[in-house]
Structures are given as C-alpha cells and as structure tokens.
Amino acid sequence: MNMDWLVRERIRKRLWYVFAMLGVMALGLVSRRIPGLFPTAFGKYPGDVLWTLMVFLGWAIVFPKSPTVKIMLLALVTSFAVEFAKFHHAPWLENFRNTTFGHLVLGYTFSWGNLVAYTIGAAVGACGEWLLSVGRRQISVSE
C-alpha cells in the first residue's frame, strides 16, 4: 500500500476544515447529552475520539500545507498532554476545570482508556484525509 499520502505536503481548504471542526464539536457535545447516540458499549469514549478529531482538524486549519502525519502527531501530543495534565491540581487549574468550558477542554480524571480513544480520533482524522485524497485522485483520473 502506498503511504505517500501520509507524509506529502497537502493543500487543505481551511473553510471546509472549519465546518468539519464545528460539526465534530456539535456531535461531541450531543454525544454527551443523548446517551443512545452511540452504542452503550462505547461508554463515554466516542466523545474523547471526537475531541481528538476536533484537535486534528484544528491543527489542520493552523497548518494547511503540513503532511497528515504531522497533523496526526500534533493532535496526539496535544491530547496526551491535556490528559497527563490531569495529574496537576493547582488551585487555579481546578477552578478552571470546575467551569463548563474548563471541563470540556481539560476534563477531570486521568484515564488510560482516553489515550486509546485519542489515538483512534487522530487515526480517524488521518483516514479521513486518505479518503479525501483517494477521492480526489479518482476524480482527476476520470476527467
């Protein structure tokens, strides 16, 4: 399988990524409010997968020409850093975590399962870009 799509520079359309990011954010928020949206066996993890997918899309907006692998790694580093920051309990940080926004961004409790969910979220972003690149190639070949 040719993996050059993963490491070559891209040209992303930022506006599409902004719309995708807003959609992922909305789906993530809804996933916490509507329990039956995802199978109960997934627990709370669909929200964590979507959180990292949102981070992936955010980095893709910031670095629109970067290779997919760089965006994927940035999303993972960001997500893992936020997860490991849950071990730090400074009073100002706890006050922020106790707000709705702070809870959505930083969460409260460290979980190894979240690291798995974050990895899946970054992989979903990379796979999405792969599907887009395959679609673009098929369109340009047929024209």
Side-chain angles (χ1 to χ4, degrees), residues 79-93:
S79 301
F80 278 41
V82 168
E83 189 65 24
F84 282 102
K86 293 175 184 176
F87 288 122
H88 187 64
H89 296 285
W92 66 270
L93 193 53

Side-chain angles (χ1 to χ4, degrees), residues 88-98 106:
H88 187 64
H89 296 285
W92 66 270
L93 193 53
E94 291 301 304
N95 288 337
F96 180 67
R97 283 185 181 123
N98 288 328
L106 298 179

Side-chain angles (χ1 to χ4, degrees), residues 23-40 42-54 82-83 86 97 99-111 113-115 117-118:
V24 167
M25 288 170 66
L27 185 58
L29 292 171
V30 168
S31 77
R32 297 293 172 111
R33 297 276 181 219
I34 302 174
L37 187 62
F38 293 102
T40 55
F42 291 166
K44 70 171 194 69
Y45 294 111
D48 297 317
V49 169
L50 292 168
W51 192 89
T52 298
L53 179 57
M54 177 199 66
V82 168
E83 189 65 24
K86 293 175 184 176
R97 283 185 181 123
T99 66
T100 300
F101 182 71
H103 174 68
L104 289 171
V105 173
L106 298 179
Y108 292 117
T109 312
F110 178 85
S111 168
N114 286 354
L115 300 178
Y118 299 152

